[in-house]
Amino acid sequence: MIQDLTEGRPAKVILVYSLPIILGNVFQQIYNLVDIVIVGRCIGFQALAGVGATGGLNFLVLGFAMGITSGLGIMIAQFFGARDMVRMRQSIGTSLIICVGLSVMLTLLALGLLPALLRFLNTPDSIYQYSYNYISIIFAGIIASVAYNMVSCILRALGDSRTPLYFLLFSSALNVGLDLLCIATFGWGVQGAAVATVFAQMLSAALCFAWAFHKYPEIRLHKDDFRTSWGFIWDHLAIGLPMALQFSITAVGVVILQAALNLFPDTYIAGFSAANKVQNLGATVGVSFGVSMANYAGQNYGAGRIDRVRSGVRATIFLTLCVCTVASAILWFFDEPLTAMFLDENSLADSADRVSEIFYAARLYLHVSAIFFPFLYVLFVYRNALQGVGQTFWPLMAGVLELVIRMGASMTFPRFYGYPAIPLVDVMAWVGACLWLAVSYYLLMNKR
């Protein structure tokens, strides 16, 4: 259902619009969690560490693609908010052309540089093959991820946050079923987890595109809608590229942190990987409100309603902090049972010292994250509000600040303080970026 975000009480509009996105993202994180749980329990903690060690690379490449598609979605939302349906369809056609070129470029680069990147990350020999086997298949299927994210952004730009939810639920359930089939039944190992993910995304994207064009005549494209110009392409990239670079700059910091983590024993890597998946689930609502804010701000900016952008930001910050309190409590008090989900009985019966190291690494990361979660949640609101009104420079600079903090802290603190410094690197980046974005937002809004 198409939803006009320029009318109604901002708090109610944002909450209603956000709920399907929250449910979808939570379910996606749950199936990502189940994905890694199946790997850890069916294959072993070294496979868990191997898949977890690719998290930074995965975020680096797919995060860049997500940034581009999010930026393209904001352009579509602005044309929709201005009620310019002709330009909106041309924007969708141009966005699809950009996505095809982006997918080809990222696939070739990622697969070509993969061995060097894994070595750069100090990937231990004991888990190197697990990492390579998993992430190479994920990178080969980049086009599936790009296609799904693009069609989701198109629908959300129109105010339809429900349809992406339905197809995400379908994709998630299919992925879990294929995981069990490929890993537990066929014995394909970590390759089975990757194949399941790519196939589920590809099928979901194809079905979602077909449904969207069938349901909404407003976005049915004709040949003329694909006749674009370099100037129009650049207008889209002017928003999409800074958002993509912001994702990638943040991801480079994560990669550097991963390289520092990989110098520790594989038990610490396994514990960190498990805790990171749990932390991602805890941050999901904040991410979802951020996505909602980008489209809400985009539509209202296109309609010339800066006053509604301001009131929407205030309402969203209140909503996110309420949820954040609950998420922090769960991470703090349920750290041990959440970590135990990732370990099979043989791992738990293994050396007591090794099991203790896994739980210690996970517990420390979850507790530190729980304390600083409010900064992360508020960061998402300010970042997406600025991007929604076309101000991409300041969020990009916030990403640069995160990179500088992560790089400096990753290269120094672990040498002196050991593993306890690893969780602190992330939260230092959150705090720095949050403060930067808050100041940037209020300065820009006051000028307007």
Side-chain angles (χ1 to χ4, degrees):
M1 180 180 67
I2 290 178
Q3 183 177 352
D4 186 352
L5 304 178
T6 64
E7 301 293 338
R9 289 178 54 203
K12 182 178 179 180
V13 168
I14 292 170
L15 183 59
V16 171
Y17 177 75
S18 298
L19 283 175
I21 299 176
I22 293 170
L23 290 173
N25 284 342
V26 166
F27 201 86
Q28 184 176 34
Q29 289 299 328
I30 288 175
Y31 97 69
N32 286 338
L33 199 69
V34 172
D35 197 39
I36 200 84
V37 165
I38 293 172
V39 169
R41 296 182 73 87
C42 293
I43 308 175
F45 80 88
Q46 286 187 326
L48 168 65
V51 172
T54 65
L57 285 181
N58 205 344
F59 184 33
L60 176 64
V61 176
L62 298 186
F64 184 89
M66 287 175 60
I68 288 278
T69 55
S70 297
L72 299 176
I74 287 173
M75 283 290 292
I76 297 167
Q78 290 180 0
F79 286 125
F80 179 75
R83 301 298 183 267
D84 189 343
M85 298 302 166
V86 174
R87 297 284 278 175
M88 184 192 73
R89 283 191 293 273
Q90 291 173 344
S91 179
I92 294 174
T94 299
S95 297
L96 295 178
I97 292 171
I98 292 172
C99 285
V100 172
L102 173 72
S103 299
V104 173
M105 179 190 71
L106 286 180
T107 302
L108 294 176
L109 283 175
L111 291 177
L113 297 174
L114 181 55
L117 288 171
L118 287 174
R119 291 303 181 193
F120 172 78
L121 284 173
N122 303 314
T123 307
D125 291 338
S126 60
I127 63 174
Y128 178 90
Q129 202 59 48
Y130 289 118
S131 297
Y132 183 86
N133 290 346
Y134 177 80
I135 200 64
S136 60
I137 296 174
I138 295 294
F139 284 166
I142 283 174
I143 191 169
S145 178
V146 172
Y148 177 76
N149 281 300
M150 189 66 252
V151 68
S152 297
C153 289
I154 292 171
L155 291 170
R156 288 168 184 157
L158 306 183
D160 182 358
S161 56
R162 295 183 182 180
T163 300
L165 167 64
Y166 301 145
F167 283 96
L168 182 59
L169 294 177
F170 166 75
S171 174
S172 302
L174 178 62
N175 196 347
V176 171
L178 289 174
D179 274 337
L180 292 171
L181 181 67
C182 295
I183 297 174
T185 303
F186 294 161
W188 289 357
V190 294
Q191 297 97 313
V195 168
T197 298
V198 171
F199 182 82
Q201 284 184 334
M202 188 176 300
L203 182 59
S204 181
L207 293 175
C208 196
F209 264 115
W211 175 257
F213 290 140
H214 168 75
K215 186 176 182 181
Y216 298 123
E218 300 90 338
I219 64 172
R220 290 176 190 168
L221 303 181
H222 307 284
K223 187 184 298 183
D224 290 344
D225 295 320
F226 291 97
R227 289 176 181 169
T228 186
S229 66
W230 287 112
F232 199 48
I233 290 174
W234 176 248
D235 288 341
H236 287 71
L237 292 178
I239 293 182
L241 276 177
M243 292 181 68
L245 290 173
Q246 176 256 308
F247 269 94
S248 290
I249 289 171
T250 302
V252 169
V254 173
V255 167
I256 292 172
L257 174 61
Q258 185 73 53
L261 172 67
N262 287 348
L263 295 174
F264 291 91
D266 51 15
T267 49
Y268 284 85
I269 300 173
F272 180 92
S273 300
N276 184 252
K277 289 293 183 182
V278 174
Q279 186 248 62
N280 287 341
L281 177 59
T284 295
V285 178
V287 173
S288 303
F289 274 119
V291 172
S292 301
M293 176 51 58
N295 289 292
Y296 171 88
Q299 281 197 23
N300 282 280
Y301 181 74
R305 299 294 307 275
I306 296 297
D307 58 313
R308 284 181 59 81
V309 175
R310 291 193 184 97
S311 55
V313 167
R314 290 194 297 268
T316 306
I317 287 176
F318 174 76
L319 291 170
T320 58
L321 289 178
C322 290
V323 176
C324 176
T325 303
V326 178
S328 294
I330 292 173
L331 261 61
W332 185 276
F333 292 108
F334 295 93
D335 57 290
E336 193 161 312
L338 288 171
T339 304
M341 292 190 309
F342 297 85
L343 302 174
D344 65 339
E345 294 180 359
N346 292 330
S347 295
L348 292 173
D350 199 358
S351 167
D353 290 340
R354 292 171 68 82
V355 174
S356 177
E357 287 176 354
I358 294 174
F359 277 101
Y360 165 74
R363 181 186 310 113
L364 189 60
Y365 185 73
L366 291 175
H367 284 188
V368 172
S369 296
I371 294 171
F372 289 91
F373 249 18
F375 289 95
L376 181 63
Y377 267 65
V378 174
L379 180 158
F380 292 134
V381 179
Y382 286 129
R383 172 184 288 163
N384 285 277
L386 287 167
Q387 290 170 339
V389 300
Q391 294 289 337
T392 55
F393 175 77
W394 303 106
L396 177 60
M397 290 300 99
V400 172
L401 179 60
E402 284 191 65
L403 172 60
V404 171
I405 293 173
R406 280 196 173 93
M407 183 180 296
S410 298
M411 295 174 66
T412 54
F413 288 0
R415 295 182 182 180
F416 298 103
Y417 304 108
Y419 178 80
I422 295 292
L424 290 175
V425 173
D426 263 344
V427 300
M428 289 171 63
W430 299 348
V431 173
C434 180
L435 295 177
W436 171 275
L437 289 166
V439 172
S440 301
Y441 169 80
Y442 287 111
L443 287 176
L444 289 166
M445 287 295 109
N446 287 337
K447 285 182 181 181
R448 292 177 183 275

